[in-house]
Amino acid sequence: MQWRSIVVGLLLLRLAFSFILWLTFGLGPSWGFNFPINFNFSLHKIELFGEKVGADPRSGAWLRHLAGHHHHHHGQGHPRTCSQTEEHGYKKPYLRFFEDGGDEYAKKYSFFPEKLKAEMRGMARDMFYFGYENYMKYAFPEDELNPIDCQGRGPDVLNPSNININDVLGNYSLTLIDTLDTLLVLGNVSEFHRAVKLVIDTVSFDKDSTVQVFEANIRILGSLISAHILLTDSKQPFGNVGLEDYDNELLHLAHDLAVRLLPAFENTGTGIPYPRVNLKSGVPPDTINETCTAGAGSLLVEFGILSRLIGDSTFEWVARRAVKALWNLRSNETGLLGNVVNIQTGQWVGKQSGLGAGMDSFYEYLLKSYILFGEKEDYKMFKAAYESIHNHLRRGREACNEGEGDPPLYVNVNMFNGQIMNTWIDSLQAFFPGLQVLNGDVENAICLHAFYYAIWKRFGALPERYNWQLQAPDVLFYPLRPELVESTYLLYQATKNPFYLHVGMDILQSIEKYTKVRCGYATLHHVVDKSKEDRMESFFLSETCKYLYLLFDEDNPLHKSESKYIFTTEGHVVPIDKRFREKQWNDGELSDQDMTNVPHTNTSNVRPLRLNVLVSDMTCDRIPDERRYALPLKSVYMRQIDHMVGLS
């Protein structure tokens, strides 16, 4: 019996010794013991040991369970993002874990082969042409293509209250006009010439169509102006694109449309325009007196360029007056604006302040107007707005890639007190990282972009609204919007980091996989089940395809030209040109009294001045997008994305 006790004792001793080694060094399995629990001391898990206690309530812990169901399934508890560890009583960012360059994320994202880049460029080009050629075949001269039924779509004349359709579609070949400069970006001069001639020969704005002023401005007016400028650009960055016998017809069309939009600015108590006009008869008698901040305050780029091209201050003046009127209505406490205002009383009907629908391009155009026109008051407003956004909309830790708390998120708040009004963000907010790049705030742009890309990775699209508290979509459709692609493109231009090429490839392949149908690309009705709606909005060709192509086309003339360019909010190419910083009028030329009855005139006999001389090597003070950033895009951002989407 004694020898049995000795054997049992030795076995127990070996077992205890093995268990100690296994706990300490992970060597247990090599001794032949297969335990059901696996302690994996990988870098993936190191950050899980740094959970915060008593975090600042202002951080909102908005990201605590972005992928909670996944992590709970694997028993990982509360995942962290951009987290840090604590050692010896002080804090260190976990960026230090990646300094050796051996991290798997760095290996995956730090290189993008030229051959693959060419393949993606070709894929983006083919995507554009599949949509464009089918529009021309099945839909033109109607406004949009229904890509499932292979038919054209125009205004809903039987239901004038269907503003989802009628705000955008004016029976003026919308998709063709909106696409003009994209053809040049893709290098197709011959098709660009054919499209320009079609517009000149077939498009008229003398239509009984009631349209939204904002949509007509950014999609139609902006494209006509952009195409005109590129046609008459003496530098010819896209090669010889001049059109024989061209006599400013696109500029005449732009002027005609702008005059038809002017009645929106008449007879308002604040100078803020009505949201809609009838192109033939002016403001409809039943038009509401409420408009959104973005709709009324995002006209200055197009109207301002038109004024400076033709030497008529009227258009810039009314657009600038609207911006100033909105700005003067901001909260004295927070400096924020609401999203819906009464144009007669100046009372805020919608008190929500955010970065998405109803407000997005207002901020964008404050900065871009300054870049284009050099008016210091525009930058002063933008700077103050940006500060208010950071003070009241931003939640999360102070620094993007270090510190306790969640990565930054910009929420919707009450404009008067900064209190959170709801727990969703919308897909339009994905433009903001691109605007941050333009403002030189690249570090914050990188981290915010990662949040939207994480949502894209989960669904293969951006739902129209996403509830960051419930970690689920609130509104499930995706109409092929460009905002995330735009920010991806601008971040790549700023950092030249191959990671953004991987992001672009992911987006491109998702769109191709989930939205391509018989005659084009269709709106996703439901980002989860991938059911579709029969609509291809014009911005898909004007923006989404354009930014995807430019992302992978390093040698595009826009990147190689000595001239500098920015994009309108509809993605139209506009040069930063000295002539746009020169006025042919005195600032005191018009008074408020002069604008009480803006004439709704026929412009058939108006011949705009032809100003087609570009000045080379012009200087524009404080244009931050000229800078190139050599920021090392640490693996922290890629790790943040995978943790948020629940892949790590």
Side-chain angles (χ1 to χ4, degrees):
M1 295 295 294
Q2 186 176 6
W3 64 270
R4 292 183 180 178
S5 300
I6 294 173
V7 170
V8 171
L10 288 173
L11 285 173
L12 290 173
L13 183 62
R14 177 179 177 180
L15 179 61
F17 183 65
S18 299
F19 185 74
I20 292 170
L21 287 176
W22 177 78
L23 282 177
T24 308
F25 302 107
L27 298 178
S30 67
W31 284 62
F33 295 94
N34 295 316
F35 290 92
I37 304 173
N38 178 22
F39 286 86
N40 180 8
F41 290 95
S42 70
L43 292 181
H44 279 292
K45 305 299 181 289
I46 291 177
E47 61 182 12
L48 302 181
F49 298 118
E51 283 299 320
K52 60 182 178 291
V53 178
D56 182 356
R58 183 167 177 77
S59 72
W62 59 267
L63 200 56
R64 190 176 305 280
H65 292 294
L66 187 63
H69 64 282
H70 176 95
H71 288 278
H72 284 239
H73 176 73
H74 291 286
Q76 295 177 3
H78 296 264
R80 292 292 305 279
T81 60
C82 287
S83 61
Q84 65 181 34
T85 60
E86 298 183 14
E87 291 185 2
H88 309 296
Y90 65 92
K91 302 172 183 177
K92 289 185 179 180
Y94 74 79
L95 280 173
R96 61 195 169 92
F97 294 128
F98 311 113
E99 291 174 354
D100 60 2
D103 180 69
E104 62 179 284
Y105 290 87
K107 292 177 182 177
K108 178 179 179 181
Y109 292 117
S110 63
F111 180 66
F112 201 91
E114 287 297 322
K115 183 178 180 181
L116 185 57
K117 191 184 299 183
E119 181 183 337
M120 291 300 104
R121 182 170 64 248
M123 188 175 176
R125 181 179 60 245
D126 293 345
M127 177 178 286
F128 168 82
Y129 281 119
F130 186 69
Y132 173 77
E133 290 171 357
N134 279 299
Y135 165 77
M136 296 303 297
K137 180 178 180 180
Y138 295 108
F140 177 79
E142 293 190 70
D143 287 312
E144 286 181 351
L145 169 67
N146 288 346
I148 297 175
D149 289 340
C150 302
Q151 296 177 347
R153 179 198 291 262
D156 187 353
V157 294
L158 298 178
N159 182 15
S161 64
N162 184 4
I163 59 175
N164 180 50
I165 299 297
N166 294 329
D167 272 359
V168 177
L169 309 186
N171 194 23
Y172 39 34
S173 302
L174 168 65
T175 297
L176 177 63
I177 294 177
D178 211 3
T179 301
L180 289 175
D181 63 316
T182 309
L183 291 166
L184 273 188
V185 168
L186 269 65
N188 195 338
V189 177
S190 60
E191 184 60 25
F192 172 70
H193 284 166
R194 186 175 85 93
V196 167
K197 290 176 182 177
L198 273 174
V199 170
I200 292 172
D201 293 340
T202 65
V203 172
S204 168
F205 298 122
D206 190 24
K207 306 281 189 181
D208 184 19
S209 298
T210 298
V211 296
Q212 192 185 80
V213 175
F214 168 75
E215 295 288 1
N217 173 65
I218 65 170
R219 300 202 198 198
I220 300 293
L221 185 64
S223 186
L224 291 171
I225 291 171
S226 172
H228 165 77
I229 293 171
L230 294 173
L231 267 172
T232 58
D233 188 343
S234 62
K235 289 185 178 179
Q236 297 290 295
F238 293 102
N240 184 15
V241 303
L243 187 59
E244 188 177 354
D245 299 327
Y246 177 70
D247 190 24
N248 293 336
E249 288 91 346
L250 296 183
L251 190 56
H252 301 333
L253 280 170
H255 190 184
D256 176 51
L257 175 61
V259 169
R260 295 175 187 276
L261 299 179
L262 280 181
F265 297 87
E266 297 177 32
N267 303 317
T268 77
T270 60
I272 301 170
Y274 286 93
R276 299 174 182 87
V277 296
N278 183 283
L279 295 178
K280 188 183 285 287
S281 60
V283 178
D286 59 347
T287 294
I288 61 173
N289 288 317
E290 297 172 2
T291 191
C292 68
T293 301
S298 305
L299 307 171
L300 184 52
V301 166
E302 291 83 1
F303 272 45
I305 293 175
L306 178 63
S307 276
R308 297 181 189 226
L309 282 174
I310 67 177
D312 183 347
S313 61
T314 303
F315 306 100
E316 179 174 342
W317 194 88
V318 295
R320 190 171 291 281
R321 183 181 67 162
V323 172
K324 291 179 180 178
L326 287 164
W327 184 249
N328 290 334
L329 294 174
R330 70 194 187 280
S331 166
N332 292 329
E333 296 296 323
T334 65
L336 297 173
L337 294 82
N339 60 344
V340 180
V341 67
N342 186 300
I343 65 172
Q344 302 297 351
T345 66
Q347 295 296 310
W348 289 105
V349 180
K351 300 176 178 60
Q352 176 178 300
S353 191
L355 300 178
M359 301 202 68
D360 50 353
S361 53
F362 175 79
Y363 303 118
E364 178 185 1
Y365 269 24
L366 289 178
L367 181 57
K368 289 183 176 179
S369 295
Y370 171 70
I371 292 172
L372 282 170
F373 307 129
E375 300 286 349
K376 293 183 179 179
E377 64 177 344
D378 294 335
Y379 186 73
K380 184 178 179 181
M381 286 187 287
F382 173 78
K383 188 176 180 181
Y386 197 72
E387 183 177 345
S388 294
I389 287 168
H390 272 257
N391 287 340
H392 299 286
L393 271 61
R394 192 181 190 274
R395 296 296 191 274
R397 58 172 169 263
E398 183 176 348
C400 169
N401 65 0
E402 60 184 9
E404 289 292 344
D406 294 316
L409 176 72
Y410 296 82
V411 300
N412 300 317
V413 304
N414 185 299
M415 63 173 287
F416 294 109
N417 56 31
Q419 297 298 311
I420 294 179
M421 290 190 68
N422 51 59
T423 58
W424 51 260
I425 53 94
D426 64 53
S427 64
L428 290 171
Q429 290 178 250
F431 93 98
F432 197 67
L435 188 63
Q436 290 179 307
V437 168
L438 201 62
N439 192 43
D441 192 2
V442 179
E443 186 76 5
N444 272 311
I446 289 171
C447 208
L448 183 60
H449 172 274
F451 168 68
Y452 296 105
Y453 178 48
I455 301 173
W456 182 285
K457 284 189 71 172
R458 172 180 281 190
F459 300 106
L462 272 186
E464 190 71 353
R465 283 186 184 177
Y466 185 82
N467 192 306
W468 46 264
Q469 186 176 66
L470 299 178
Q471 309 307 333
D474 275 349
V475 180
L476 287 152
F477 70 89
Y478 168 64
L480 307 171
R481 291 200 188 279
E483 283 75 19
L484 179 60
V485 188
E486 176 186 9
S487 289
T488 302
Y489 165 69
L490 292 172
L491 271 164
Y492 180 66
Q493 289 300 307
T495 65
K496 293 300 180 183
N497 194 289
F499 169 69
Y500 294 106
L501 298 176
H502 287 274
V503 174
M505 180 172 66
D506 190 6
I507 294 173
L508 183 58
Q509 291 174 336
S510 295
I511 293 174
E512 184 74 14
K513 178 179 179 181
Y514 297 125
T515 73
K516 189 174 185 178
V517 293
R518 185 159 59 116
C519 294
Y521 295 84
T523 292
L524 283 183
H525 175 72
H526 196 297
V527 297
V528 178
D529 66 24
K530 303 301 186 292
S531 56
K532 299 172 182 64
E533 295 180 18
D534 197 9
R535 187 175 188 184
M536 187 179 80
E537 295 221 38
S538 66
F539 53 66
F540 174 68
L541 299 180
S542 174
E543 299 183 79
T544 309
C545 291
K546 179 185 292 168
Y547 287 127
L548 283 169
Y549 182 80
L550 284 171
L551 177 63
F552 296 106
D553 190 25
E554 297 279 2
D555 296 325
N556 194 275
L558 287 183
H559 303 147
K560 297 296 184 180
S561 174
E562 292 182 0
S563 301
K564 302 174 182 68
Y565 297 86
I566 64 170
F567 298 89
T568 70
T569 195
E570 186 70 9
H572 297 305
V573 178
V574 176
I576 300 171
D577 187 349
K578 185 176 181 179
R579 61 180 160 163
F580 300 148
R581 294 198 159 207
E582 296 173 348
K583 303 175 192 172
Q584 300 172 50
W585 60 82
N586 297 321
D587 285 335
E589 191 173 299
L590 293 174
S591 67
D592 285 350
Q593 188 175 3
D594 294 323
M595 293 306 302
T596 55
N597 188 20
V598 179
H600 183 45
T601 59
N602 187 308
T603 61
S604 58
N605 296 320
V606 177
R607 309 302 290 175
L609 299 176
R610 184 167 184 172
L611 302 173
N612 60 355
V613 179
L614 285 174
V615 179
S616 62
D617 299 324
M618 60 163 294
T619 57
C620 297
D621 53 324
R622 294 185 67 88
I623 299 179
D625 64 322
E626 291 182 56
R627 296 158 57 186
R628 281 291 180 268
Y629 296 85
L631 290 180
L633 194 64
K634 298 289 188 179
S635 298
V636 59
Y637 302 112
M638 283 73 85
R639 182 176 301 284
Q640 171 187 331
I641 291 166
D642 273 7
H643 272 298
M644 285 195 292
V645 82
L647 297 179
S648 62

